[in-house]
DNA sequence: AAATATAATTAACACTGTTAATATATGCAA
DNA sequence: TTGCATATATTAACAGTGTTAATTATATTT
């Protein structure tokens, strides 16, 4: 990578970091080309010298957040062996990440802030996220219940997304403890 | 209800119908105050004589769509007795409604087009929707698996929302038949 | 130092939701 | 029917959005 590319990537990362911190701090509604650029110390039009549009910029943020989420979950303490308890513990940690930063959940799972052409890559990244966190748990359940592992993972992933969507967007249930209780019972049921 | 109220409700419904048909036809991105008003045969500012803002208008649309969805599912043929088959059949019908009109799914489940103060009412409406369609199936499963009925319904509802969100927003799986297969196996597993 | 290439900026366009001021239509009393 | 008051609808305007083109500033090379 030559100097020009290094500098280009650096400026690009200024915009990405600015966007990420705005999403984490003030939420997705506070994100705009003007805001991002001001935070990054550039003019708003400069963004378009480094990204084709905001959607491409958001796509980079999503990739970063997915990595961050994986680290967040893996750095938390969980039962060593794959078990019902580890499944619950990791699921709770995953949810806690998005509850801490609702804007990240909106960005990845609800807002249509992403170009169709990136959908496949993002989907693959999320697949990887879930498999790297819950791979052992999926295997265990797949054997135990004699069900295809892909169904277990689809089911688990859907439940998490669905519950989070209801809790973060509709604020139902209204209470954090109650949400965690429902989550726990749903995972137990699976 | 006096004449004034009748007329007011009539004009209100003009805007609601215009919004609903735009969402169904061109999708949520085509919805704007100017577009809605033009379709309804009024100026854009007239909307604000009948609704406090667009979010209130959207909330009325959501209420209508939920009723429409219930009718859509109930008018389809399903096995008479509550069974695994009826559970799958109804779940598929429900998904088909939103697959037919992706804009309606976006409106209700993903876009933040609704004021916080309406969240409780909408949540309750969706609860009612699911319970009126799947009430018998929930009861049956609750007895069979000896699990609280609220967990069954939360789980089922989350799975549907999660799968639809992935399919409609991320276009994963890319194929309709495959989506229905995954849905069926998830319901079977539950 | 001058010429060229690169990067960043401002101005502008076509949108958005929303509000205030203005115009139009309606109902009613004289 | 006319004049007035009220209710309703419209246009103008504001502050914001994403994005592009034209312009200015900066850096590089000759």
């Amino acid at each position: 990578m030559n100097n020009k590319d290094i500098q280009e990537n650096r400026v690009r990362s200024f915009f990405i970091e600015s966007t990420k911190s705005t999403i984490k701090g003030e939420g997705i509604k506070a994100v705009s080309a003007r805001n991002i650029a001001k935070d990054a110390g550039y003019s708003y039009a400069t963004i378009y010298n480094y990204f084709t549009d905001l959607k491409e910029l958001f796509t980079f943020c999503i990739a970063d957040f997915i990595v961050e989420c994986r680290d967040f979950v893996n750095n938390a303490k969980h039962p060593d062996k794959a078990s019902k308890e580890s499944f619950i513990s990791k699921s709770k940690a995953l949810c806690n990440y998005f509850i801490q930063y609702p804007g990240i959940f909106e960005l990845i799972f609800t807002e249509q802030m992403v170009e169709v052409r990136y959908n496949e890559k993002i989907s693959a990244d999320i697949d990887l996220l879930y498999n790297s966190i819950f791979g052992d748990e999926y295997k265990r359940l797949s054997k135990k219940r004699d069900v295809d592992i892909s169904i277990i993972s689809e089911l688990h992933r859907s439940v998490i997304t669905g519950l989070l969507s209801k809790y973060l967007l509709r604020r139902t249930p209204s209470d954090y403890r109650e949400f965690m209780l429902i989550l726990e019972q749903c995972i137990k049921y699976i």
Side-chain angles (χ1 to χ4, degrees), chain A residues 68-106:
Chain A
E68 193 183 72
C69 176
R70 194 187 55 216
D71 294 344
F72 178 91
V73 174
N74 286 337
N75 288 340
K77 275 199 176 178
H78 308 292
D80 282 352
K81 251 184 57 184
S83 60
K84 188 189 283 186
E85 285 71 34
S86 73
F87 202 26
I88 291 170
S89 172
K90 289 178 180 178
S91 298
K92 281 184 176 178
L94 181 75
C95 287
N96 275 328
Y97 177 77
F98 292 112
I99 290 171
Q100 191 176 355
Y101 304 112
I104 299 180
F105 182 78
E106 287 180 52

Coordinates of all heavy atoms in Angstrom, one line a residue, chain A residues 68-106:
Chain A
E68 N -16.9 -5.3 16.8 CA -17.0 -4.8 18.2 C -17.9 -5.6 19.0 O -17.7 -6.0 20.2 CB -17.4 -3.3 18.2 CG -17.2 -2.6 19.5 CD -17.7 -1.2 19.5 OE1 -19.0 -1.0 19.4 OE2 -16.9 -0.3 19.5
C69 N -19.1 -6.0 18.4 CA -20.1 -6.8 19.1 C -19.5 -8.1 19.5 O -19.7 -8.6 20.6 CB -21.3 -6.9 18.2 SG -22.6 -7.9 18.9
R70 N -18.8 -8.8 18.5 CA -18.3 -10.1 18.8 C -17.3 -10.0 20.0 O -17.4 -10.8 20.9 CB -17.6 -10.6 17.6 CG -17.3 -12.1 17.7 CD -16.4 -12.6 16.5 NE -15.2 -11.8 16.4 CZ -14.7 -11.4 15.2 NH1 -15.3 -11.8 14.1 NH2 -13.5 -10.7 15.1
D71 N -16.4 -9.0 20.0 CA -15.5 -8.8 21.0 C -16.2 -8.6 22.4 O -15.8 -9.1 23.4 CB -14.5 -7.7 20.7 CG -13.6 -8.0 19.5 OD1 -13.6 -9.2 19.2 OD2 -13.0 -7.1 19.0
F72 N -17.2 -7.8 22.3 CA -18.0 -7.4 23.5 C -18.5 -8.7 24.2 O -18.4 -8.9 25.4 CB -19.1 -6.5 23.2 CG -20.0 -6.1 24.3 CD1 -19.7 -5.0 25.1 CD2 -21.1 -6.9 24.6 CE1 -20.5 -4.7 26.2 CE2 -22.0 -6.5 25.7 CZ -21.7 -5.4 26.4
V73 N -19.1 -9.6 23.4 CA -19.7 -10.8 23.9 C -18.6 -11.8 24.3 O -18.7 -12.4 25.4 CB -20.6 -11.5 22.8 CG1 -21.1 -12.8 23.3 CG2 -21.8 -10.6 22.4
N74 N -17.6 -11.9 23.5 CA -16.5 -12.9 23.9 C -15.7 -12.5 25.1 O -15.1 -13.3 25.8 CB -15.6 -13.1 22.7 CG -16.3 -14.0 21.6 OD1 -17.2 -14.7 21.9 ND2 -15.8 -13.8 20.4
N75 N -15.6 -11.2 25.4 CA -14.9 -10.7 26.5 C -15.7 -10.8 27.8 O -15.1 -10.7 28.9 CB -14.4 -9.2 26.3 CG -13.3 -9.1 25.3 OD1 -12.6 -10.1 25.0 ND2 -13.1 -8.0 24.7
A76 N -17.0 -11.1 27.7 CA -17.8 -11.3 28.9 C -17.5 -12.7 29.4 O -17.1 -13.6 28.6 CB -19.2 -11.0 28.6
K77 N -17.8 -12.9 30.7 CA -17.7 -14.3 31.2 C -18.9 -15.1 30.9 O -20.0 -14.7 31.1 CB -17.5 -14.1 32.8 CG -16.1 -13.9 33.2 CD -15.9 -14.2 34.7 CE -14.4 -14.0 35.1 NZ -14.2 -14.3 36.5
H78 N -18.5 -16.4 30.5 CA -19.6 -17.3 30.2 C -19.1 -18.7 30.7 O -17.9 -19.0 30.8 CB -19.9 -17.4 28.7 CG -20.1 -16.1 28.1 ND1 -21.2 -15.3 28.3 CD2 -19.4 -15.3 27.2 CE1 -21.2 -14.2 27.6 NE2 -20.1 -14.2 26.9
P79 N -20.1 -19.6 31.0 CA -19.7 -21.0 31.3 C -18.8 -21.5 30.2 O -19.1 -21.3 29.0 CB -21.1 -21.7 31.4 CG -22.1 -20.6 31.7 CD -21.5 -19.3 31.1
D80 N -17.8 -22.3 30.7 CA -16.8 -22.8 29.7 C -17.4 -23.7 28.7 O -17.3 -23.5 27.5 CB -15.7 -23.6 30.5 CG -14.7 -22.6 31.1 OD1 -14.9 -21.4 30.8 OD2 -13.9 -23.0 31.8
K81 N -18.1 -24.7 29.2 CA -18.6 -25.7 28.2 C -20.0 -25.3 27.6 O -20.8 -24.6 28.2 CB -18.9 -27.1 29.0 CG -17.9 -28.1 28.6 CD -18.1 -29.5 29.2 CE -19.5 -30.0 29.0 NZ -19.8 -31.2 29.7
A82 N -20.2 -25.6 26.4 CA -21.4 -25.3 25.7 C -22.6 -26.0 26.4 O -22.6 -27.2 26.6 CB -21.4 -25.8 24.3
S83 N -23.5 -25.1 26.9 CA -24.6 -25.7 27.7 C -25.8 -24.7 27.6 O -25.7 -23.6 27.0 CB -24.2 -25.8 29.2 OG -23.8 -24.5 29.6
K84 N -26.9 -25.1 28.2 CA -28.0 -24.2 28.2 C -27.6 -22.8 28.9 O -28.0 -21.8 28.4 CB -29.1 -24.8 29.1 CG -30.4 -24.1 29.0 CD -31.4 -24.6 30.0 CE -32.1 -25.9 29.5 NZ -33.2 -26.3 30.4
E85 N -26.8 -23.0 29.9 CA -26.4 -21.8 30.6 C -25.5 -20.8 29.8 O -25.7 -19.6 29.8 CB -25.6 -22.1 31.9 CG -26.5 -22.7 33.0 CD -27.0 -24.1 32.7 OE1 -26.3 -24.8 32.1 OE2 -28.2 -24.4 33.1
S86 N -24.6 -21.4 29.1 CA -23.7 -20.6 28.2 C -24.5 -20.0 27.1 O -24.2 -18.9 26.7 CB -22.6 -21.5 27.6 OG -23.0 -22.3 26.6
F87 N -25.5 -20.7 26.6 CA -26.3 -20.2 25.5 C -27.1 -19.0 26.0 O -27.1 -17.9 25.3 CB -27.3 -21.3 25.1 CG -27.9 -21.1 23.7 CD1 -27.2 -20.4 22.7 CD2 -29.1 -21.7 23.4 CE1 -27.7 -20.3 21.4 CE2 -29.7 -21.5 22.1 CZ -29.0 -20.8 21.2
I88 N -27.6 -19.1 27.2 CA -28.4 -17.9 27.8 C -27.4 -16.8 28.0 O -27.7 -15.6 27.7 CB -29.1 -18.4 29.1 CG1 -30.2 -19.3 28.7 CG2 -29.6 -17.2 29.8 CD1 -30.8 -20.0 30.0
S89 N -26.3 -17.1 28.6 CA -25.3 -16.0 29.0 C -24.9 -15.2 27.8 O -24.8 -14.0 27.8 CB -24.2 -16.7 29.7 OG -23.1 -15.8 30.0
K90 N -24.5 -16.0 26.8 CA -24.0 -15.3 25.6 C -25.1 -14.5 24.9 O -24.9 -13.4 24.3 CB -23.4 -16.3 24.6 CG -22.1 -16.9 25.0 CD -21.6 -18.0 24.1 CE -20.3 -18.6 24.5 NZ -19.8 -19.6 23.6
S91 N -26.3 -15.1 24.9 CA -27.5 -14.4 24.2 C -27.7 -13.1 25.0 O -28.0 -12.0 24.3 CB -28.7 -15.3 24.3 OG -28.5 -16.4 23.5
K92 N -27.7 -13.1 26.3 CA -27.9 -11.9 27.1 C -26.8 -10.9 26.8 O -27.1 -9.7 26.6 CB -27.9 -12.2 28.6 CG -29.2 -12.9 29.1 CD -29.1 -13.1 30.6 CE -30.4 -13.6 31.1 NZ -30.3 -13.8 32.6
A93 N -25.6 -11.3 26.7 CA -24.5 -10.4 26.4 C -24.7 -9.7 25.0 O -24.5 -8.5 24.9 CB -23.1 -11.1 26.4
L94 N -25.0 -10.5 24.0 CA -25.3 -10.0 22.7 C -26.4 -8.9 22.8 O -26.2 -7.8 22.2 CB -25.7 -11.1 21.8 CG -26.0 -10.7 20.3 CD1 -24.7 -10.4 19.6 CD2 -26.8 -11.8 19.6
C95 N -27.5 -9.2 23.4 CA -28.5 -8.2 23.5 C -28.1 -7.0 24.3 O -28.5 -5.9 23.9 CB -29.8 -8.9 24.2 SG -30.6 -10.0 23.2
N96 N -27.3 -7.2 25.3 CA -26.8 -6.0 26.1 C -26.0 -5.1 25.2 O -26.1 -3.8 25.4 CB -25.9 -6.5 27.3 CG -26.8 -6.9 28.5 OD1 -27.8 -6.3 28.7 ND2 -26.3 -7.8 29.2
Y97 N -25.3 -5.6 24.3 CA -24.5 -4.7 23.4 C -25.5 -3.8 22.6 O -25.2 -2.6 22.6 CB -23.7 -5.6 22.4 CG -23.0 -4.7 21.3 CD1 -21.8 -4.1 21.7 CD2 -23.5 -4.6 20.1 CE1 -21.1 -3.3 20.7 CE2 -22.8 -3.8 19.1 CZ -21.6 -3.2 19.5 OH -21.0 -2.4 18.5
F98 N -26.5 -4.3 22.1 CA -27.5 -3.5 21.3 C -28.3 -2.6 22.2 O -28.8 -1.5 21.8 CB -28.3 -4.4 20.4 CG -27.5 -5.0 19.3 CD1 -27.3 -6.4 19.3 CD2 -27.0 -4.3 18.3 CE1 -26.6 -7.0 18.3 CE2 -26.2 -4.9 17.3 CZ -26.0 -6.2 17.3
I99 N -28.6 -3.1 23.4 CA -29.4 -2.3 24.3 C -28.6 -1.1 24.8 O -29.1 0.0 24.9 CB -29.9 -3.1 25.5 CG1 -30.9 -4.1 25.1 CG2 -30.4 -2.2 26.6 CD1 -31.3 -5.2 26.1
Q100 N -27.3 -1.3 24.9 CA -26.4 -0.2 25.3 C -26.3 0.9 24.2 O -26.3 2.1 24.4 CB -25.0 -0.7 25.6 CG -24.1 0.3 26.2 CD -22.7 -0.4 26.6 OE1 -22.6 -1.6 26.4 NE2 -21.8 0.4 27.0
Y101 N -26.4 0.4 22.9 CA -26.3 1.3 21.8 C -27.5 1.0 20.8 O -27.3 0.4 19.8 CB -25.0 1.1 21.0 CG -23.7 1.3 21.9 CD1 -22.9 0.3 22.2 CD2 -23.4 2.6 22.4 CE1 -21.8 0.5 22.9 CE2 -22.3 2.8 23.1 CZ -21.5 1.7 23.4 OH -20.4 1.9 24.2
P102 N -28.6 1.5 21.1 CA -29.8 1.2 20.3 C -29.6 1.7 18.8 O -30.1 1.0 17.9 CB -30.9 2.0 20.9 CG -30.5 2.3 22.3 CD -29.0 2.4 22.2
G103 N -28.8 2.7 18.7 CA -28.6 3.2 17.3 C -27.9 2.2 16.4 O -28.1 2.2 15.2
I104 N -27.0 1.4 17.0 CA -26.3 0.4 16.2 C -27.3 -0.7 15.8 O -27.3 -1.2 14.6 CB -25.2 -0.3 17.1 CG1 -24.2 0.8 17.5 CG2 -24.5 -1.4 16.3 CD1 -23.0 0.3 18.3
F105 N -28.3 -1.0 16.7 CA -29.3 -2.0 16.2 C -30.1 -1.4 15.1 O -30.4 -2.1 14.1 CB -30.2 -2.3 17.4 CG -31.3 -3.3 17.1 CD1 -31.0 -4.7 17.0 CD2 -32.6 -2.9 16.8 CE1 -31.9 -5.6 16.6 CE2 -33.5 -3.9 16.5 CZ -33.2 -5.2 16.4
E106 N -30.5 -0.2 15.2 CA -31.3 0.4 14.2 C -30.5 0.4 12.9 O -31.1 0.1 11.8 CB -31.7 1.9 14.5 CG -32.7 2.0 15.6 CD -33.0 3.4 15.9 OE1 -33.3 4.2 14.9 OE2 -33.0 3.8 17.1

